[in-house]
Amino acid sequence: EDLKRQLLLDFMPQQDRKPLSKLIDQRIPREIPASNEPIAVEVANGIVHIGSVSLAVGKPENPELVPAVAFVPIQRHLRVLEMLVGAFARGERYFLLLGPQGVGKNRITE
């Protein structure tokens, strides 16, 4: 619903609003699945494993522009990261993270 409000869906013509609303309902997860099982993170042989997904570690053209980040394995963040990495591995390239201030949107993207 936050995304629909951000896109001002209520003000769109009905013929545009319905397919977009349907697409959002199909593709955007409503909640992060809750689980008591910890998500493991491992980097080995140039591949990062986050929970059930894996992705090759990229080589930046300008490594000096990549910030050094202190990684803190917060389980709720790891669940979101697992979903994002899985979507990225399937070819998704654009992500919109919505949430109140202080919930960790920047931390996840770092």
Side-chain angles (χ1 to χ4, degrees):
E1 295 306 312
D2 287 339
L3 179 56
K4 291 178 182 180
R5 276 196 304 274
Q6 292 289 327
L7 293 173
L8 300 173
L9 232 59
D10 291 338
F11 298 101
M12 291 180 121
Q14 189 171 1
Q15 70 269 16
D16 297 329
R17 180 177 54 224
K18 280 188 173 184
L20 183 55
S21 182
K22 184 178 178 182
L23 180 66
I24 289 170
D25 290 340
Q26 291 172 347
R27 300 280 311 263
I28 307 295
R30 292 282 176 229
E31 293 182 16
I32 300 160
S35 174
N36 292 332
E37 292 185 33
I39 293 179
V41 177
E42 177 186 5
V43 179
N45 301 320
I47 298 176
V48 63
H49 306 277
I50 302 172
S52 63
V53 298
S54 301
L55 191 66
V57 176
K59 303 285 185 207
E61 289 181 25
N62 300 309
E64 66 277 4
L65 298 178
V66 177
V69 177
F71 180 74
V72 180
I74 299 168
Q75 287 299 307
R76 186 122 173 116
H77 290 182
L78 291 177
R79 291 195 196 299
V80 173
L81 198 54
E82 181 181 30
M83 290 170 54
L84 291 174
V85 169
F88 188 82
R90 292 188 302 274
E92 196 68 47
R93 293 298 180 259
Y94 302 99
F95 301 97
L96 176 63
L97 301 179
L98 298 173
Q101 183 178 0
V103 296
K105 298 178 296 293
N106 285 335
R107 175 62 68 184
I108 289 170
T109 60
E110 291 173 347

